[in-house]
Amino acid sequence: MRIFPFSLACLTILQHTLATESNLTTPLSSHIILPTNFKPPQVFKNTNLVRSINLEKGYVKETVNVVVENIDTNPQNEYYVPFDGSVVGKIGGFEARDKKDTTKLVFRSELVEYDTYSPTQFYRITLPEALSPAAQITLSITYHLLSSLSPLPATIKQQDKQYLRLTFSTYAPSAYLTQKQKTKIKFPGVDIPEYTGEPERQGSTFTYGPYDNIPAGSDSLASVRYEFTKPVIHATSLERDIEISHWGGNLATEERYQLTNKGASLSNHFSRVIWQSTQYYNPPVSAIKALNIPLKIGSLNPYFTDDIGNVSTSRYRSNLREANLELKPRYPIFGGWSFPFRIGWAANLKSFLRNVKGDQYVLKVPFLEGPKMGEGISYEKIILRVILPEGATNVKYHTSVPIVSETISQHRTFMDTLGRTTLTLTAMNVIDESRDADLLVTYEYPLTAGLRKPITIFLGVMAVFTTAWVVGQLDTSIGKKS
């Protein structure tokens, strides 16, 4: 890791933490309750909208590029995006930015709620500068949907193709009048046996529309069924621990997965004979055959354990250019099957930690590592714990991944007195593209706190020797001394 980019990132996070309040008091994701009679004020109109749905991986990724015009007589800065109440809990990674000005940061977005039982919920985008009357801005809105694809048929034979179905609206979700719009769908291949509507077809891309003057809240349901003979990899839970040791100069990482394949289940029992006979020509298969986990260069002492015992095969390859941990389950993981396991490794702390000034430190680590697969991986829930040295204070963090909750607690380990400061972050509905996101943590660690454990160990050893000496001086004989 080069020093200059890391130092620049450190300065950025320091400026962020000084200019704003700590993330611990201002969560990145929040629910704001609005009046029950709330409706988005009709102060905008969408003059042109292009919606892209990408189905090349085992989850749905959507991008909406829309030209928004202020039709009100006053400047406006709050833009609402509606979603069906049954869908909003599956949305993750919601971001909005100015498409024409990539230098600007991501706009503030948050889920707002006006009625818990309402069939419609809203995300609110707050523009950094109010849009003047008759002015326009081009928004680029991206998000992904988890658990929105269903296998059809739900059960298949071991060597059959797998097909997934998506039900969607050909109209983009909008709380405003849309003068012109169209929806594009990108499939992983050209095998699309069933679809509704009359889309324009070009290879593996469908285009619905264009549609003119679509009122706010309009809906037009459609569905597609397409081949996806790959595993639909989904982690219901990932617990990721990062432990810092200043004295040992070590950064230890452990990840615990509850992995499952959400593809089509087998209609018959698994046959090892059929499986082995197909491995010679390596056809597409809906099962997880192996997991490839790229680690940071210089990672040390990796380990892997199945929850039911180490019955799988693992191999670690490391050189000056790469470090890869390869896992191969004893059985291929077909649809409906689960694979709980844990992995861990160590690394040199100097590659991730910098002393900015005095007692202040900045830690830069990936928010997510884990398997990297061509078909993608989705995570329903991620719990990330950063275990800092005992005595660390004034903890702040920054990450681009939306966080739903954060806490600071104490984690007690061997020879601790008060416990180690632990930052716990929880994220929901995350995809493997968050591997590119970093987590920056700043904290203060004074010299007195660093000396606490050596002094504790020294006093403990002295207490043992003193106790041994005192016991050795006791006269435990029964008879009288001669």
Side-chain angles (χ1 to χ4, degrees):
M1 182 177 293
R2 296 180 179 177
I3 296 178
F4 177 75
F6 190 92
S7 301
L8 185 60
C10 294
L11 292 175
T12 301
I13 181 60
L14 286 176
Q15 292 174 356
H16 175 82
T17 54
L18 289 175
T20 61
E21 295 182 1
S22 167
N23 287 33
L24 295 175
T25 57
T26 308
L28 296 178
S29 296
S30 59
H31 293 267
I32 297 178
I33 307 299
L34 296 176
T36 56
N37 59 350
F38 169 79
K39 289 184 179 180
Q42 297 301 298
V43 295
F44 294 110
K45 73 174 180 180
N46 303 324
T47 60
N48 191 20
L49 184 150
V50 178
R51 176 193 185 196
S52 300
I53 302 176
N54 192 306
L55 301 178
E56 294 180 301
K57 294 190 175 183
Y59 49 80
V60 181
K61 185 175 181 180
E62 297 195 17
T63 301
V64 177
N65 295 320
V66 54
V67 179
V68 179
E69 180 180 338
N70 182 4
I71 59 175
D72 197 50
T73 56
N74 299 315
Q76 302 292 333
N77 69 336
E78 292 184 351
Y79 183 88
Y80 290 88
V81 181
F83 289 99
D84 188 86
S86 62
V87 173
V88 72
K90 303 176 182 179
I91 295 176
F94 188 97
E95 288 185 353
R97 63 175 69 241
D98 188 344
K99 182 175 176 59
K100 293 186 177 180
D101 190 352
T102 58
T103 60
K104 291 184 179 180
L105 298 177
V106 175
F107 298 160
R108 180 180 176 86
S109 304
E110 54 200 345
L111 180 65
V112 296
E113 182 179 327
Y114 69 97
D115 185 355
T116 306
Y117 302 101
S118 172
T120 304
Q121 304 294 337
F122 295 92
Y123 271 88
R124 184 175 67 186
I125 301 171
T126 303
L127 306 179
E129 298 178 1
L131 196 63
S132 302
Q136 293 184 343
I137 185 173
T138 302
L139 295 179
S140 178
I141 304 171
T142 59
Y143 54 90
H144 49 261
L145 298 170
L146 273 61
S147 304
S148 296
L149 303 172
S150 58
L152 186 67
T155 59
I156 58 175
K157 294 182 179 179
Q158 191 169 315
Q159 65 274 26
D160 285 352
K161 291 183 178 180
Q162 176 180 261
Y163 290 87
L164 300 181
R165 179 179 62 180
L166 172 68
T167 301
F168 64 101
S169 173
T170 57
Y171 300 154
S174 176
Y176 311 97
L177 170 70
T178 304
Q179 290 183 322
K180 186 177 182 180
Q181 70 166 296
K182 60 182 176 180
T183 296
K184 295 182 178 181
I185 305 178
K186 175 64 176 175
F187 296 95
V190 295
D191 187 359
I192 311 166
E194 296 179 12
Y195 56 90
T196 58
E198 297 180 356
E200 177 186 348
R201 182 168 182 173
Q202 294 181 345
S204 60
T205 302
F206 279 10
T207 301
Y208 286 86
Y211 304 109
D212 297 327
N213 297 320
I214 305 301
S218 297
D219 204 8
S220 176
L221 291 181
S223 65
V224 292
R225 189 171 79 97
Y226 60 97
E227 182 196 351
F228 192 85
T229 311
K230 303 174 184 178
V232 184
I233 308 176
H234 179 75
T236 57
S237 174
L238 166 60
E239 296 182 9
R240 173 171 160 85
D241 294 346
I242 300 175
E243 187 171 348
I244 310 299
S245 174
H246 279 234
W247 279 97
N250 184 63
L251 184 143
T253 303
E254 181 175 279
E255 298 181 336
R256 298 176 292 278
Y257 289 84
Q258 296 292 330
L259 207 66
T260 185
N261 185 351
K262 302 195 75 172
S265 303
L266 291 180
S267 58
N268 299 318
H269 294 295
F270 169 71
S271 171
R272 175 67 70 177
V273 175
I274 295 177
W275 177 257
Q276 288 299 123
S277 64
T278 59
Q279 297 309 297
Y280 293 102
Y281 56 94
N282 196 27
V285 64
S286 60
I288 304 173
K289 296 192 293 185
L291 295 173
N292 180 46
I293 305 173
L295 304 178
K296 294 292 184 181
I297 297 175
S299 298
L300 305 170
N301 306 320
Y303 61 89
F304 159 70
T305 306
D306 287 318
D307 278 9
I308 59 172
N310 199 4
V311 297
S312 300
T313 303
S314 61
R315 183 177 68 168
Y316 180 61
R317 295 183 294 109
S318 176
N319 52 48
L320 296 177
R321 294 176 298 177
E322 63 177 359
N324 282 302
L325 178 62
E326 300 174 358
L327 308 181
K328 188 175 182 180
R330 184 179 181 183
Y331 293 95
I333 311 301
F334 281 92
W337 295 8
S338 298
F339 180 39
F341 66 94
R342 68 179 61 201
I343 57 175
W345 63 92
N348 191 335
L349 185 60
K350 291 183 179 180
S351 301
F352 303 89
L353 187 70
R354 290 290 182 271
N355 179 217
V356 181
K357 61 177 181 179
D359 300 333
Q360 193 166 30
Y361 292 84
V362 177
L363 176 72
K364 181 183 179 183
V365 292
F367 184 89
L368 176 66
E369 292 184 80
K372 185 177 183 180
M373 309 293 288
E375 55 271 19
I377 303 178
S378 58
Y379 299 84
E380 184 175 336
K381 183 178 183 180
I382 296 179
I383 300 177
L384 173 59
R385 296 195 305 168
V386 181
I387 305 174
L388 300 172
E390 185 177 25
T393 59
N394 196 23
V395 180
K396 297 181 177 66
Y397 76 92
H398 174 74
T399 181
S400 60
V401 178
I403 302 299
V404 297
S405 68
E406 60 281 310
T407 58
I408 286 186
S409 59
Q410 301 298 319
H411 176 74
R412 288 180 173 82
T413 57
F414 182 69
M415 294 300 292
D416 284 339
T417 54
L418 301 177
R420 307 184 64 176
T421 305
T422 302
L423 171 66
T424 303
L425 305 176
T426 302
M428 303 293 292
N429 299 337
V430 181
I431 58 176
D432 53 350
E433 292 183 2
S434 294
R435 291 177 55 89
D436 299 329
D438 289 323
L439 171 66
L440 294 174
V441 181
T442 63
Y443 62 94
E444 294 179 2
Y445 186 55
L447 179 62
T448 54
L451 295 175
R452 180 181 299 171
K453 180 165 287 189
I455 293 175
T456 302
I457 295 175
F458 173 76
L459 293 177
V461 172
M462 289 299 298
V464 170
F465 278 105
T466 302
T467 303
W469 178 81
V470 171
V471 172
Q473 298 301 311
L474 296 177
D475 182 9
T476 59
S477 60
I478 298 177
K480 295 182 178 180
K481 290 185 179 180
S482 58

